[in-house]
Amino acid sequence: MADPTSRAAEILSRPVALNGLTVPNRIAMAPMTRMFSPDGIPGEDVRSYYARRAAAGVGLIITEGTYVGHDSAGDSDRVPRFHGEEQLAGWARVAEDVHAAGGTIVPQLWHIGMVRKAGQPPFADAPPVGPSGIRVDGTEGEGRAMTQADLDDVVEAFAQAAADAERIGLDGVEVHGAHGYLLDQFLWAGTNRRGDAYGGDAVARTKFAAEVVAAIRERVSAEFPIIFRYSQWKQEAYDARLAETPEELDAILAPLAAAGVDVFHASTRRYWRPEFDGSDLNLAGWTKKLTGKPTITVGSVGLDGDFIRGFAGEGSPVKGIDDLLDSLERDEFDMVAVGRALLQDPQWAAKVLAGRFDDLKPYDASALKTLS
């Protein structure tokens, strides 16, 4: 058997093409909300935060969620926005620093939908909106169902944000369609109870997200990558599922791929768990099998001591690090997104790519004094 450290470095160091973007290796930084951007403007600390991780070997930075230009999109005036002159100027500087450090970067474009509560910033008068005015927990909340004008406005907000991302020098965009936020509220039958063309069966529930993707595709160049992040689970419903079978999943993914998605980012809480009975493929593996598109897997990569000991060949963590590397080598998925481990240790990718696994430390939430 090959030495685990050298094998990991070899497999993860391979470049990968995402439409017209070549990412230097297979490690992505997963998006993580930080709320370090007063008035939605990413400043010097945000520039340093991302550039440090790019300099340490992260091939693709996927930024924290950034609100699109719709007043109901968010619920904090410290989460960065991807609209407004000062906000976009800040992101342009972030991209410059990441590129100078040798990395690539895409913003995650975000609308939280019915997660928002009435009266919250950054635009206190904006009502919470969603497909049916229903929150993930099944309550009606304080919002309302979206009208056609609302839908059109949000589609335009995503398209404009993507066009701005390309204009100011970022390398692609990720559309946040996961975790119970707006686009996922349309995808999931639990929150989408509409009786019009945007509700009903799985294909109809995909219509709004597909329109967002298609509008982005029209506004950016053909080689500009569009990543779509989706999940089965929701923030308030870990056992929720969009699809119980591969056939049901295909009904959701096919319209999105046809609309212009280049890459799917399949968010799971534990990357090693098979998605459907009768197959070892995880959600990213099934997504690639069904769509033929490149995929990113994510979910508790590098968080515990067992995982790290597995890298060093000292144990068998949750199915073992070899299983992750085997899946990458078989091209079941194309990239691995790392979240909290990179939050704690900006040098995580450099250590892994250099085979310095003895320098890795288990994730410790209590040790996160700052998120720098």
PDB file of all heavy atoms in Angstrom, residues 43-70:
ATOM      1  N   GLY A  43     -13.472  44.243   4.471  1.00  0.00           N
ATOM      2  CA  GLY A  43     -12.339  45.135   4.672  1.00  0.00           C
ATOM      3  C   GLY A  43     -11.002  44.416   4.643  1.00  0.00           C
ATOM      4  O   GLY A  43     -10.879  43.294   4.133  1.00  0.00           O
ATOM      5  N   GLU A  44     -10.007  45.070   5.215  1.00  0.00           N
ATOM      6  CA  GLU A  44      -8.647  44.540   5.197  1.00  0.00           C
ATOM      7  C   GLU A  44      -8.556  43.173   5.877  1.00  0.00           C
ATOM      8  O   GLU A  44      -7.823  42.287   5.427  1.00  0.00           O
ATOM      9  CB  GLU A  44      -7.694  45.527   5.884  1.00  0.00           C
ATOM     10  CG  GLU A  44      -7.522  46.848   5.155  1.00  0.00           C
ATOM     11  CD  GLU A  44      -6.788  46.689   3.832  1.00  0.00           C
ATOM     12  OE1 GLU A  44      -5.969  45.760   3.718  1.00  0.00           O
ATOM     13  OE2 GLU A  44      -7.060  47.486   2.911  1.00  0.00           O
ATOM     14  N   ASP A  45      -9.270  42.998   6.974  1.00  0.00           N
ATOM     15  CA  ASP A  45      -9.197  41.713   7.678  1.00  0.00           C
ATOM     16  C   ASP A  45      -9.774  40.587   6.835  1.00  0.00           C
ATOM     17  O   ASP A  45      -9.283  39.450   6.873  1.00  0.00           O
ATOM     18  CB  ASP A  45      -9.913  41.800   9.026  1.00  0.00           C
ATOM     19  CG  ASP A  45     -11.369  42.222   8.912  1.00  0.00           C
ATOM     20  OD1 ASP A  45     -11.704  42.923   7.931  1.00  0.00           O
ATOM     21  OD2 ASP A  45     -12.172  41.872   9.793  1.00  0.00           O
ATOM     22  N   VAL A  46     -10.814  40.882   6.048  1.00  0.00           N
ATOM     23  CA  VAL A  46     -11.397  39.870   5.174  1.00  0.00           C
ATOM     24  C   VAL A  46     -10.417  39.522   4.054  1.00  0.00           C
ATOM     25  O   VAL A  46     -10.245  38.343   3.701  1.00  0.00           O
ATOM     26  CB  VAL A  46     -12.743  40.350   4.605  1.00  0.00           C
ATOM     27  CG1 VAL A  46     -13.327  39.328   3.635  1.00  0.00           C
ATOM     28  CG2 VAL A  46     -13.725  40.619   5.738  1.00  0.00           C
ATOM     29  N   ARG A  47      -9.745  40.528   3.535  1.00  0.00           N
ATOM     30  CA  ARG A  47      -8.719  40.283   2.520  1.00  0.00           C
ATOM     31  C   ARG A  47      -7.640  39.361   3.054  1.00  0.00           C
ATOM     32  O   ARG A  47      -7.246  38.373   2.409  1.00  0.00           O
ATOM     33  CB  ARG A  47      -8.087  41.608   2.067  1.00  0.00           C
ATOM     34  CG  ARG A  47      -9.020  42.529   1.318  1.00  0.00           C
ATOM     35  CD  ARG A  47      -8.411  43.894   1.072  1.00  0.00           C
ATOM     36  NE  ARG A  47      -7.192  43.850   0.254  1.00  0.00           N
ATOM     37  CZ  ARG A  47      -6.496  44.921  -0.078  1.00  0.00           C
ATOM     38  NH1 ARG A  47      -6.864  46.124   0.344  1.00  0.00           N
ATOM     39  NH2 ARG A  47      -5.419  44.805  -0.830  1.00  0.00           N
ATOM     40  N   SER A  48      -7.159  39.650   4.244  1.00  0.00           N
ATOM     41  CA  SER A  48      -6.103  38.839   4.851  1.00  0.00           C
ATOM     42  C   SER A  48      -6.585  37.419   5.125  1.00  0.00           C
ATOM     43  O   SER A  48      -5.858  36.443   4.909  1.00  0.00           O
ATOM     44  CB  SER A  48      -5.634  39.499   6.145  1.00  0.00           C
ATOM     45  OG  SER A  48      -4.726  38.673   6.840  1.00  0.00           O
ATOM     46  N   TYR A  49      -7.803  37.303   5.616  1.00  0.00           N
ATOM     47  CA  TYR A  49      -8.387  36.001   5.967  1.00  0.00           C
ATOM     48  C   TYR A  49      -8.361  35.054   4.770  1.00  0.00           C
ATOM     49  O   TYR A  49      -7.916  33.903   4.880  1.00  0.00           O
ATOM     50  CB  TYR A  49      -9.812  36.246   6.455  1.00  0.00           C
ATOM     51  CG  TYR A  49     -10.688  35.039   6.634  1.00  0.00           C
ATOM     52  CD1 TYR A  49     -10.528  34.181   7.714  1.00  0.00           C
ATOM     53  CD2 TYR A  49     -11.723  34.775   5.726  1.00  0.00           C
ATOM     54  CE1 TYR A  49     -11.374  33.085   7.886  1.00  0.00           C
ATOM     55  CE2 TYR A  49     -12.570  33.694   5.899  1.00  0.00           C
ATOM     56  CZ  TYR A  49     -12.389  32.849   6.982  1.00  0.00           C
ATOM     57  OH  TYR A  49     -13.219  31.775   7.144  1.00  0.00           O
ATOM     58  N   TYR A  50      -8.833  35.518   3.624  1.00  0.00           N
ATOM     59  CA  TYR A  50      -8.872  34.643   2.454  1.00  0.00           C
ATOM     60  C   TYR A  50      -7.490  34.473   1.816  1.00  0.00           C
ATOM     61  O   TYR A  50      -7.128  33.376   1.381  1.00  0.00           O
ATOM     62  CB  TYR A  50      -9.875  35.176   1.435  1.00  0.00           C
ATOM     63  CG  TYR A  50     -11.309  34.981   1.878  1.00  0.00           C
ATOM     64  CD1 TYR A  50     -12.161  36.066   2.073  1.00  0.00           C
ATOM     65  CD2 TYR A  50     -11.814  33.708   2.110  1.00  0.00           C
ATOM     66  CE1 TYR A  50     -13.471  35.882   2.484  1.00  0.00           C
ATOM     67  CE2 TYR A  50     -13.120  33.516   2.523  1.00  0.00           C
ATOM     68  CZ  TYR A  50     -13.947  34.609   2.716  1.00  0.00           C
ATOM     69  OH  TYR A  50     -15.235  34.414   3.127  1.00  0.00           O
ATOM     70  N   ALA A  51      -6.711  35.536   1.754  1.00  0.00           N
ATOM     71  CA  ALA A  51      -5.401  35.456   1.115  1.00  0.00           C
ATOM     72  C   ALA A  51      -4.466  34.511   1.861  1.00  0.00           C
ATOM     73  O   ALA A  51      -3.666  33.795   1.249  1.00  0.00           O
ATOM     74  CB  ALA A  51      -4.775  36.846   1.027  1.00  0.00           C
ATOM     75  N   ARG A  52      -4.563  34.479   3.183  1.00  0.00           N
ATOM     76  CA  ARG A  52      -3.716  33.571   3.962  1.00  0.00           C
ATOM     77  C   ARG A  52      -3.985  32.122   3.589  1.00  0.00           C
ATOM     78  O   ARG A  52      -3.060  31.313   3.495  1.00  0.00           O
ATOM     79  CB  ARG A  52      -3.977  33.742   5.458  1.00  0.00           C
ATOM     80  CG  ARG A  52      -3.415  35.003   6.075  1.00  0.00           C
ATOM     81  CD  ARG A  52      -3.763  35.072   7.558  1.00  0.00           C
ATOM     82  NE  ARG A  52      -3.083  34.023   8.322  1.00  0.00           N
ATOM     83  CZ  ARG A  52      -3.394  33.710   9.579  1.00  0.00           C
ATOM     84  NH1 ARG A  52      -4.402  34.322  10.184  1.00  0.00           N
ATOM     85  NH2 ARG A  52      -2.718  32.780  10.218  1.00  0.00           N
ATOM     86  N   ARG A  53      -5.225  31.776   3.391  1.00  0.00           N
ATOM     87  CA  ARG A  53      -5.564  30.404   3.071  1.00  0.00           C
ATOM     88  C   ARG A  53      -5.206  30.063   1.626  1.00  0.00           C
ATOM     89  O   ARG A  53      -4.771  28.944   1.338  1.00  0.00           O
ATOM     90  CB  ARG A  53      -7.043  30.162   3.389  1.00  0.00           C
ATOM     91  CG  ARG A  53      -7.236  30.082   4.907  1.00  0.00           C
ATOM     92  CD  ARG A  53      -8.613  30.456   5.387  1.00  0.00           C
ATOM     93  NE  ARG A  53      -8.693  30.300   6.847  1.00  0.00           N
ATOM     94  CZ  ARG A  53      -8.304  31.227   7.731  1.00  0.00           C
ATOM     95  NH1 ARG A  53      -7.804  32.387   7.303  1.00  0.00           N
ATOM     96  NH2 ARG A  53      -8.401  30.992   9.031  1.00  0.00           N
ATOM     97  N   ALA A  54      -5.345  31.021   0.720  1.00  0.00           N
ATOM     98  CA  ALA A  54      -4.907  30.794  -0.655  1.00  0.00           C
ATOM     99  C   ALA A  54      -3.394  30.613  -0.711  1.00  0.00           C
ATOM    100  O   ALA A  54      -2.887  29.711  -1.405  1.00  0.00           O
ATOM    101  CB  ALA A  54      -5.336  31.959  -1.536  1.00  0.00           C
ATOM    102  N   ALA A  55      -2.659  31.435   0.025  1.00  0.00           N
ATOM    103  CA  ALA A  55      -1.200  31.330   0.051  1.00  0.00           C
ATOM    104  C   ALA A  55      -0.741  30.002   0.631  1.00  0.00           C
ATOM    105  O   ALA A  55       0.343  29.502   0.308  1.00  0.00           O
ATOM    106  CB  ALA A  55      -0.605  32.485   0.857  1.00  0.00           C
ATOM    107  N   ALA A  56      -1.570  29.414   1.489  1.00  0.00           N
ATOM    108  CA  ALA A  56      -1.227  28.141   2.115  1.00  0.00           C
ATOM    109  C   ALA A  56      -1.773  26.945   1.334  1.00  0.00           C
ATOM    110  O   ALA A  56      -1.812  25.835   1.876  1.00  0.00           O
ATOM    111  CB  ALA A  56      -1.740  28.109   3.548  1.00  0.00           C
ATOM    112  N   GLY A  57      -2.184  27.154   0.098  1.00  0.00           N
ATOM    113  CA  GLY A  57      -2.467  26.020  -0.756  1.00  0.00           C
ATOM    114  C   GLY A  57      -3.906  25.693  -1.056  1.00  0.00           C
ATOM    115  O   GLY A  57      -4.181  24.719  -1.771  1.00  0.00           O
ATOM    116  N   VAL A  58      -4.874  26.467  -0.549  1.00  0.00           N
ATOM    117  CA  VAL A  58      -6.269  26.207  -0.917  1.00  0.00           C
ATOM    118  C   VAL A  58      -6.446  26.577  -2.390  1.00  0.00           C
ATOM    119  O   VAL A  58      -6.214  27.716  -2.785  1.00  0.00           O
ATOM    120  CB  VAL A  58      -7.247  27.003  -0.036  1.00  0.00           C
ATOM    121  CG1 VAL A  58      -8.673  26.818  -0.525  1.00  0.00           C
ATOM    122  CG2 VAL A  58      -7.126  26.566   1.418  1.00  0.00           C
ATOM    123  N   GLY A  59      -6.878  25.610  -3.194  1.00  0.00           N
ATOM    124  CA  GLY A  59      -6.989  25.865  -4.625  1.00  0.00           C
ATOM    125  C   GLY A  59      -8.139  26.774  -4.989  1.00  0.00           C
ATOM    126  O   GLY A  59      -8.022  27.638  -5.867  1.00  0.00           O
ATOM    127  N   LEU A  60      -9.292  26.566  -4.327  1.00  0.00           N
ATOM    128  CA  LEU A  60     -10.491  27.345  -4.631  1.00  0.00           C
ATOM    129  C   LEU A  60     -11.091  27.875  -3.332  1.00  0.00           C
ATOM    130  O   LEU A  60     -11.476  27.094  -2.462  1.00  0.00           O
ATOM    131  CB  LEU A  60     -11.530  26.482  -5.355  1.00  0.00           C
ATOM    132  CG  LEU A  60     -12.890  27.146  -5.627  1.00  0.00           C
ATOM    133  CD1 LEU A  60     -12.731  28.302  -6.629  1.00  0.00           C
ATOM    134  CD2 LEU A  60     -13.906  26.122  -6.130  1.00  0.00           C
ATOM    135  N   ILE A  61     -11.160  29.179  -3.219  1.00  0.00           N
ATOM    136  CA  ILE A  61     -11.849  29.823  -2.109  1.00  0.00           C
ATOM    137  C   ILE A  61     -13.306  30.021  -2.516  1.00  0.00           C
ATOM    138  O   ILE A  61     -13.590  30.683  -3.513  1.00  0.00           O
ATOM    139  CB  ILE A  61     -11.236  31.198  -1.776  1.00  0.00           C
ATOM    140  CG1 ILE A  61      -9.766  31.079  -1.375  1.00  0.00           C
ATOM    141  CG2 ILE A  61     -12.071  31.905  -0.701  1.00  0.00           C
ATOM    142  CD1 ILE A  61      -9.522  30.500  -0.015  1.00  0.00           C
ATOM    143  N   ILE A  62     -14.221  29.444  -1.755  1.00  0.00           N
ATOM    144  CA  ILE A  62     -15.642  29.771  -1.896  1.00  0.00           C
ATOM    145  C   ILE A  62     -15.968  30.658  -0.701  1.00  0.00           C
ATOM    146  O   ILE A  62     -15.855  30.236   0.450  1.00  0.00           O
ATOM    147  CB  ILE A  62     -16.533  28.523  -1.895  1.00  0.00           C
ATOM    148  CG1 ILE A  62     -16.083  27.537  -2.984  1.00  0.00           C
ATOM    149  CG2 ILE A  62     -17.995  28.919  -2.124  1.00  0.00           C
ATOM    150  CD1 ILE A  62     -16.787  26.200  -2.931  1.00  0.00           C
ATOM    151  N   THR A  63     -16.321  31.897  -0.964  1.00  0.00           N
ATOM    152  CA  THR A  63     -16.466  32.853   0.134  1.00  0.00           C
ATOM    153  C   THR A  63     -17.664  32.504   1.012  1.00  0.00           C
ATOM    154  O   THR A  63     -18.548  31.732   0.634  1.00  0.00           O
ATOM    155  CB  THR A  63     -16.671  34.283  -0.379  1.00  0.00           C
ATOM    156  OG1 THR A  63     -18.015  34.428  -0.893  1.00  0.00           O
ATOM    157  CG2 THR A  63     -15.666  34.648  -1.466  1.00  0.00           C
ATOM    158  N   GLU A  64     -17.668  33.114   2.168  1.00  0.00           N
ATOM    159  CA  GLU A  64     -18.872  33.105   2.999  1.00  0.00           C
ATOM    160  C   GLU A  64     -20.050  33.614   2.177  1.00  0.00           C
ATOM    161  O   GLU A  64     -19.875  34.304   1.162  1.00  0.00           O
ATOM    162  CB  GLU A  64     -18.658  34.012   4.196  1.00  0.00           C
ATOM    163  CG  GLU A  64     -18.394  35.477   3.805  1.00  0.00           C
ATOM    164  CD  GLU A  64     -17.515  36.190   4.809  1.00  0.00           C
ATOM    165  OE1 GLU A  64     -18.023  36.556   5.881  1.00  0.00           O
ATOM    166  OE2 GLU A  64     -16.323  36.377   4.513  1.00  0.00           O
ATOM    167  N   GLY A  65     -21.254  33.275   2.588  1.00  0.00           N
ATOM    168  CA  GLY A  65     -22.423  33.746   1.870  1.00  0.00           C
ATOM    169  C   GLY A  65     -22.469  35.256   1.789  1.00  0.00           C
ATOM    170  O   GLY A  65     -22.200  35.957   2.774  1.00  0.00           O
ATOM    171  N   THR A  66     -22.796  35.773   0.619  1.00  0.00           N
ATOM    172  CA  THR A  66     -22.905  37.216   0.401  1.00  0.00           C
ATOM    173  C   THR A  66     -24.312  37.516  -0.110  1.00  0.00           C
ATOM    174  O   THR A  66     -24.793  36.862  -1.042  1.00  0.00           O
ATOM    175  CB  THR A  66     -21.862  37.723  -0.619  1.00  0.00           C
ATOM    176  OG1 THR A  66     -22.157  37.198  -1.918  1.00  0.00           O
ATOM    177  CG2 THR A  66     -20.460  37.289  -0.230  1.00  0.00           C
ATOM    178  N   TYR A  67     -24.954  38.506   0.491  1.00  0.00           N
ATOM    179  CA  TYR A  67     -26.339  38.809   0.114  1.00  0.00           C
ATOM    180  C   TYR A  67     -26.416  39.422  -1.277  1.00  0.00           C
ATOM    181  O   TYR A  67     -25.666  40.348  -1.607  1.00  0.00           O
ATOM    182  CB  TYR A  67     -26.964  39.795   1.107  1.00  0.00           C
ATOM    183  CG  TYR A  67     -27.058  39.313   2.534  1.00  0.00           C
ATOM    184  CD1 TYR A  67     -26.976  40.225   3.590  1.00  0.00           C
ATOM    185  CD2 TYR A  67     -27.252  37.964   2.853  1.00  0.00           C
ATOM    186  CE1 TYR A  67     -27.075  39.818   4.915  1.00  0.00           C
ATOM    187  CE2 TYR A  67     -27.352  37.550   4.171  1.00  0.00           C
ATOM    188  CZ  TYR A  67     -27.257  38.482   5.200  1.00  0.00           C
ATOM    189  OH  TYR A  67     -27.357  38.079   6.509  1.00  0.00           O
ATOM    190  N   VAL A  68     -27.350  38.927  -2.070  1.00  0.00           N
ATOM    191  CA  VAL A  68     -27.619  39.548  -3.366  1.00  0.00           C
ATOM    192  C   VAL A  68     -28.444  40.817  -3.146  1.00  0.00           C
ATOM    193  O   VAL A  68     -28.941  41.083  -2.045  1.00  0.00           O
ATOM    194  CB  VAL A  68     -28.350  38.564  -4.308  1.00  0.00           C
ATOM    195  CG1 VAL A  68     -27.470  37.368  -4.623  1.00  0.00           C
ATOM    196  CG2 VAL A  68     -29.694  38.120  -3.721  1.00  0.00           C
ATOM    197  N   GLY A  69     -28.596  41.593  -4.211  1.00  0.00           N
ATOM    198  CA  GLY A  69     -29.223  42.908  -4.096  1.00  0.00           C
ATOM    199  C   GLY A  69     -30.737  42.871  -4.066  1.00  0.00           C
ATOM    200  O   GLY A  69     -31.399  43.414  -4.961  1.00  0.00           O
ATOM    201  N   HIS A  70     -31.278  42.271  -3.025  1.00  0.00           N
ATOM    202  CA  HIS A  70     -32.718  42.244  -2.793  1.00  0.00           C
ATOM    203  C   HIS A  70     -32.905  42.521  -1.314  1.00  0.00           C
ATOM    204  O   HIS A  70     -32.260  41.890  -0.473  1.00  0.00           O
ATOM    205  CB  HIS A  70     -33.293  40.883  -3.182  1.00  0.00           C
ATOM    206  CG  HIS A  70     -34.782  40.799  -3.082  1.00  0.00           C
ATOM    207  ND1 HIS A  70     -35.430  40.203  -2.020  1.00  0.00           N
ATOM    208  CD2 HIS A  70     -35.765  41.236  -3.920  1.00  0.00           C
ATOM    209  CE1 HIS A  70     -36.732  40.276  -2.201  1.00  0.00           C
ATOM    210  NE2 HIS A  70     -36.965  40.895  -3.353  1.00  0.00           N
TER     211      HIS A  70
END
